Amino acid sequence: MDYPLLNAFWTMCLVFLWVMWFFLLFRIIGDIFRSSDLNNWAKTGWLVMVLVLPFLGVFIYVLARGRSMTEREVARAEQQQKQLRSYLRETAGTDDTAARHAEALAKLADLKSHGDITEEEFQKAKAKVLA
């Protein structure tokens, strides 16, 4: 088997470019379907163009809608980040009421440790705060 090193290098480059093109193609198809500023006919037209004229269609799409594709992706990521923070805030209980409860419990514990209230009074006040 006679396969020179330079041919192996060019083969690896072509495989890399082929994989990158597929990655870009799938990314563009996903963007076409997620895009809310295109009507159904425009989505169909872009999809047909990308599938019928694969290389040319992908390059034209990137030139025509590349910047807005990035803006939509950033907006989507920000929306997901807000949803995650909201979910974590609700789940972890870091809202204002939880902070107020923790502050009230800390004050009660401080009063109990100084002997200003008894254990029974502490338990009643604690139950009231947690209710």
Side-chain angles (χ1 to χ4, degrees):
M1 300 213 351
D2 187 28
Y3 198 68
L5 185 61
L6 188 59
N7 285 351
F9 173 75
W10 285 116
T11 301
M12 288 189 321
C13 286
L14 290 175
V15 168
F16 175 75
L17 289 174
W18 188 254
V19 169
M20 289 304 298
W21 178 80
F22 269 114
F23 177 76
L24 187 59
L25 176 69
F26 292 137
R27 185 110 182 203
I28 287 174
I29 290 173
D31 185 64
I32 290 171
F33 284 113
R34 282 192 303 262
S35 181
S36 61
D37 61 335
L38 292 176
N39 62 23
N40 290 338
W41 287 106
K43 288 180 183 184
T44 304
W46 277 115
L47 191 61
V48 167
M49 185 172 181
V50 166
L51 294 177
V52 171
L53 302 170
F55 292 109
L56 186 62
V58 165
F59 294 134
I60 291 173
Y61 187 86
V62 169
L63 290 174
R65 296 182 47 90
R67 178 170 288 153
S68 62
M69 187 167 85
T70 303
E71 291 168 357
R72 282 189 298 278
E73 188 66 29
V74 168
R76 194 171 130 257
E78 287 174 354
Q79 179 187 14
Q80 286 179 341
Q81 184 69 25
K82 285 179 186 175
Q83 289 174 347
L84 176 66
R85 285 184 183 160
S86 173
Y87 172 75
L88 290 175
R89 202 173 295 119
E90 291 172 10
T91 304
T94 58
D95 58 351
D96 291 337
T97 57
R100 281 185 274 142
H101 290 326
E103 186 178 325
L105 288 174
K107 286 180 183 178
L108 285 173
D110 188 41
L111 288 173
K112 181 183 155 206
S113 67
H114 285 97
D116 295 333
I117 61 174
T118 64
E119 177 67 30
E120 183 181 324
E121 292 172 330
F122 174 75
Q123 291 301 329
K124 286 181 183 177
K126 179 179 157 184
K128 188 183 280 187
V129 168
L130 294 177

